[in-house]
Amino acid sequence: MLTFNEVRSIFLSYPELKETQSGDRYSYSVRNSIHRGKLIAREIRCNQDGTFYGYISSKYMSTQTKLKYVDHTDSRGMIKIKTFSNLELHNVIRDAIFSMGHVAIDDSATVS
């Protein structure tokens, strides 16, 4: 399981994202979203044991992409990322960024 610091580093590795902090919670938005809503990740927060919890929005994802995350999606359309591996987190972030504007994503942040 990833730690909060690892998760934050992964989000910060994407230049397309802008980080904001409110208290002990972090959120990430897509700088050049074609949609009115720019927020893709919210409530990213560190637990006392160094682990984290948080959500990624599936609002603008295609139906096919949403199906990839159906087992992790709640009734709000938010994908719970707490149990995601490094690769799974990179994949969902890339899918969320793509859904926000079909922009090319810098592959230097990709993990194999």
Side-chain angles (χ1 to χ4, degrees):
M1 184 178 287
L2 297 170
T3 67
F4 171 75
N5 289 330
E6 290 169 330
V7 168
R8 191 161 170 247
S9 292
I10 290 169
F11 277 103
L12 292 173
S13 72
Y14 289 90
E16 300 89 353
L17 299 179
K18 176 184 174 189
E19 178 184 72
T20 55
Q21 181 181 2
S22 177
D24 62 349
R25 296 171 191 227
Y26 291 81
S27 60
Y28 298 88
S29 56
V30 176
R31 297 177 193 273
N32 297 315
S33 172
I34 63 169
H35 299 285
R36 183 174 174 201
K38 296 179 184 288
L39 191 68
I40 66 161
R42 60 185 251 191
E43 300 177 31
I44 309 298
R45 182 177 176 188
C46 185
N47 295 324
Q48 288 182 348
D49 64 357
T51 61
F52 77 101
Y53 69 86
Y55 301 91
I56 291 185
S57 174
S58 67
K59 183 176 183 176
Y60 299 110
M61 290 181 181
S62 70
T63 302
Q64 181 179 358
T65 303
K66 287 179 183 181
L67 287 174
K68 291 174 21 181
Y69 306 107
V70 71
D71 293 336
H72 300 280
T73 305
D74 65 18
S75 61
R76 303 172 298 163
M78 300 300 288
I79 301 166
K80 185 177 180 180
I81 58 173
K82 181 177 181 167
T83 60
F84 279 22
S85 69
N86 188 318
L87 181 58
E88 290 169 323
L89 183 58
H90 275 284
N91 288 338
V92 73
I93 291 170
R94 290 173 56 86
D95 287 342
I97 292 170
F98 183 78
S99 73
M100 295 298 280
H102 306 288
V103 294
I105 299 169
D106 182 4
D107 283 334
S108 65
T110 303
V111 174
S112 304

